[in-house]
Amino acid sequence: MTPFSSPLPPFWDHLGVVVGFLLSLAIFSFILRDTWLVRLAQYLLVGVSLGYAAVIAWQSVLWLRLFRPLLDAARPTFPPTMDALWLYWAPLGLGLILWLAGIDALRGSIAGRPSPLRRGLRLLAILPMGILAGVAVGVGIAGAIQGTLLPQFLRGADLGLPAGPPGFLIMGMLTLLITTGALIHLQVGKVAAVEWKLPNFLLSILNGWRWIGERALWLAAGFLFAQLFTSRITLLIARLEYFLFDLRASELWIWLSARVGGGP
Amino acid sequence: MTSTFGCPHCGKGNPIDALFCAFCGTRLQDVETSLREQQDQQGGEAADEDLPEDAPILPPRPARRLRGHATRPSPPQERKIDDPPDPEPGSSGLHRPPLRADTSFSKPPSSTEDPVRSAAPTPTDRADLSIPSSSEVPNDVDPAELAAWLERFPQPNPLSTPMLSDETRRQLRQLFVSEVPLAEILPHEARSDGGGLQRRTWIYWLLLAVLGFALLFGDEAPETLPHVWPGVGGAYAAINTLPTGSTVLIDWAYDPATAGEMDQVARPVIEHLIAQNADLIVISQLPLGPASARRLIAAAETSVWGEITAQRLDATLVEGGFLPGGAATLPLLGQAPALGLPVDLQGRSAEIRPPLQTLTEDGPALALVISAQFEPVQRWLEQVQPLNQTPTLAITSAAAAPPLRPYLDSGQLAGLVSGYNGGIGYRQLLLRPLARAEQIPLWRQIRGHNSALIVLLIVLVIGNLALSLERRSL
């Protein structure tokens, strides 16, 4: 027994093994045919995940970081402190507005002109939505620039000049050649003489460049596929191990074997 | 939902009434439409320079025989098909007769339909790519007028869009923009036209049979270990040099769905951290992440210390719980950890939990992102690492490793452990002997992978042979 052990009686562990076994079989039956069993297992997975997520959201976020601090205040002060205002009351207010507007939207549109209350609610909901969207976009753009674009560009542009090792320079030039070739292939495609009025030798160079980029893309796709195959095979082997070995080592299987084998 | 169709240049979906592709800028409106309209407006003096720059250049020559399709009938002037004159820009030597109202060719385009496609004759069922033959023309049309009118059509250019019926065009568009829903393709239905992945069920059963055989009879140590990609050594060195009692912030970004692989990768790293007596602070942006973390850390603790107690776990582990908000909340962990993680899962604040206090005052000594996808690692490197400059390790699945290699190469990642082979390689570095009961599952993984790769090679070779033979027979 560890501090992380389940507080439930052992029967629920055994039931979990049985349910897991049956659901795994249901998912595997997709190999034979897409039946209601597969759909049932998928819907169960989605439903249970959502339900669990809702419980976690209440336990770990809403109660722990919003409602409990508000309720635990010894004497609610008015006006509230700036910290309390920004950390608790403002999120609570904005969240309530968004929540009510969402429920109103779920009710569907009503024929005719909506009431002033509903119109006002939907207008108010623009504020939290705007904050959510604005923060997400701002954070995303800033992060992409500072965390990906700038460091990767600086690394790609670093050719080791003037006194770096030759291998560094060759790798840098190769990276530049392949990257630009892939860009040409994706943006321009095969260049035809009738479309681009360029000398033939330039067209040949451009098409050759594009050819390199196209092959590099295929090579990268093959590498990605190989790694994806490795990852999925690992999952499949783990699940087969569960069927072939872990299940047989469970107490439930031992009990069943004893009953079927005529044991005590 | 608005109907969409695929751009003929880049294939991306665009609204049905779009004039230009929103992705590559290609003009979607049929060039012949503009040619016809300009010729109608200017009395047959359409100028080449009026055409948009990206319009395909269509040499105005008479029809050529295309795969047995009927050629265009010669006009009464007895022009030869093989020596077409090129009209001067801005003028043409041919008189363009007005369209007759009683023919389908003269149907005026309405404001809601494409003039050319609505006025053009509907090809036969065989998807005729050339100008319609004389047999398809109504009997009351003067052949001379028809021939003169047909002279206005430029010859089909191999690079231009073929003239197809509206229905065929719509089907082609839907084909280009629609993604094949894999769940809808039933495995037991094989296409009779030779296309698609046939014998899919055979491949599945072969793979299962080979894997089952390898697992049932794979309890012996393999001859060789799997290849270990760069990054494992860097991760080991980063953890090995941690002082005792260092605070390590862990973003647990995988859930039980991918635990079959991720547990194998993450467990040796967690065991190493526990052996280094590091203080672990675990947060997760997935609702099921904290439970996965708890389960694996308990197993790792038992493996390292033999038996764990509540006091020991309390001393070494802070469960930060679920952190919602995605990328928008991650900067808090870099700029103001006290705001991002005010209390642990049990509601205890930094005053009671020293690791939280260290996190707030000094920041973590090391950051780990344990994820089955590459996006959580990328988000961490974009939102948190630039703010606190903490060395970051990525523990990921094999599929997530390729997009993260550039970050390892640029130094943003101090180490990268990926896939089951990365977990095995890391465990080799630990130099801690494993019990046989723990070794056997690793051996089975190696043998299973080797067998699966053999099946994949066989399928690739047979598939390529079949494709080559099919091409030759065509």
Side-chain angles (χ1 to χ4, degrees), chain B residues 128-146:
Chain B
D128 194 347
L129 298 182
S130 66
I131 306 298
S133 63
S134 57
S135 61
E136 297 168 351
V137 175
N139 292 329
D140 54 350
V141 176
D142 182 9
E145 284 187 6
L146 173 63

Side-chain angles (χ1 to χ4, degrees), chain B residues 68-392:
Chain B
H69 292 165
T71 56
R72 195 173 55 192
S74 301
Q77 295 85 349
E78 295 183 357
R79 283 180 58 207
K80 292 184 179 179
I81 293 177
D82 294 330
D83 52 354
D86 290 331
E88 296 293 329
S91 67
S92 71
L94 299 173
H95 167 66
R96 285 168 175 78
L99 298 174
R100 294 171 62 138
D102 57 347
T103 66
S104 60
F105 304 106
S106 62
K107 181 181 176 185
S110 66
S111 59
T112 58
E113 60 184 352
D114 189 327
V116 170
R117 286 187 281 274
S118 61
T122 304
T124 60
D125 291 340
R126 59 190 167 86
D128 194 347
L129 298 182
S130 66
I131 306 298
S133 63
S134 57
S135 61
E136 297 168 351
V137 175
N139 292 329
D140 54 350
V141 176
D142 182 9
E145 284 187 6
L146 173 63
W149 180 78
L150 286 174
E151 285 290 326
R152 297 165 56 192
F153 285 94
Q155 286 308 299
N157 185 308
L159 298 177
S160 71
T161 307
M163 293 185 66
L164 303 169
S165 67
D166 285 350
E167 186 55 35
T168 308
R169 285 176 192 270
R170 195 179 306 279
Q171 288 172 358
L172 284 174
R173 284 169 189 165
Q174 290 301 319
L175 192 65
F176 287 142
V177 300
S178 66
E179 291 182 3
V180 177
L182 293 178
E184 300 299 330
I185 297 176
L186 302 180
H188 65 281
E189 290 182 358
R191 290 175 53 177
S192 58
D193 58 357
L197 180 60
Q198 298 192 28
R199 310 288 186 261
R200 186 185 296 117
T201 310
W202 284 93
I203 296 173
Y204 294 157
W205 285 114
L206 175 64
L207 192 60
L208 279 177
V210 167
L211 283 178
F213 184 83
L215 292 180
L216 285 171
F217 301 102
D219 287 355
E220 294 174 1
E223 293 82 17
T224 55
L225 293 177
H227 174 72
V228 178
W229 295 99
V232 174
Y236 178 83
I239 294 178
N240 215 31
T241 53
L242 279 177
T244 301
S246 300
T247 301
V248 177
L249 182 59
I250 302 177
D251 179 9
W252 207 279
Y254 77 88
D255 54 16
T258 50
E261 181 185 15
M262 291 306 300
D263 283 356
Q264 296 180 50
V265 192
R267 182 150 166 184
V269 180
I270 298 296
E271 288 178 6
H272 194 190
L273 283 169
I274 292 171
Q276 293 288 106
N277 288 311
D279 293 333
L280 307 179
I281 302 176
V282 179
I283 59 110
S284 178
Q285 296 210 297
L286 297 175
L288 296 170
S292 298
R294 189 179 306 140
R295 181 180 49 79
L296 188 77
I297 292 173
E301 283 263 2
T302 308
S303 178
V304 173
W305 301 112
E307 195 176 330
I308 56 173
T309 62
Q311 289 79 11
R312 170 155 191 86
L313 280 172
D314 262 357
T316 60
L317 176 64
V318 174
E319 291 183 274
F322 173 49
L323 192 69
T329 52
L330 282 180
L332 273 178
L333 293 177
Q335 278 180 322
L339 288 179
L341 209 54
V343 294
D344 65 2
L345 206 55
Q346 287 74 33
R348 293 170 291 189
S349 65
E351 287 83 18
I352 308 173
R353 304 303 311 271
L356 279 179
Q357 199 166 7
T358 310
L359 180 71
T360 305
E361 292 171 358
D362 304 325
L366 184 69
L368 257 73
V369 184
I370 306 179
S371 168
Q373 318 289 339
F374 79 91
E375 286 92 353
V377 182
Q378 189 181 40
R379 279 201 296 264
W380 188 276
L381 293 176
E382 289 180 351
Q383 306 298 338
V384 184
Q385 206 250 356
L387 298 174
N388 59 14
Q389 300 295 324
T390 302
T392 305

Side-chain angles (χ1 to χ4, degrees), chain A residues 123-139:
Chain A
L123 277 175
L124 272 179
I126 292 175
L127 181 61
M129 278 307 300
I131 292 173
L132 277 175
V135 168
V137 170
V139 159

Side-chain angles (χ1 to χ4, degrees), chain A residues 123-169:
Chain A
L123 277 175
L124 272 179
I126 292 175
L127 181 61
M129 278 307 300
I131 292 173
L132 277 175
V135 168
V137 170
V139 159
I141 292 175
I145 292 173
Q146 71 184 2
T148 296
L149 189 61
L150 216 54
Q152 293 299 312
F153 176 78
L154 290 174
R155 174 62 187 90
D158 182 13
L159 299 177
L161 297 172
F168 211 69
L169 176 64

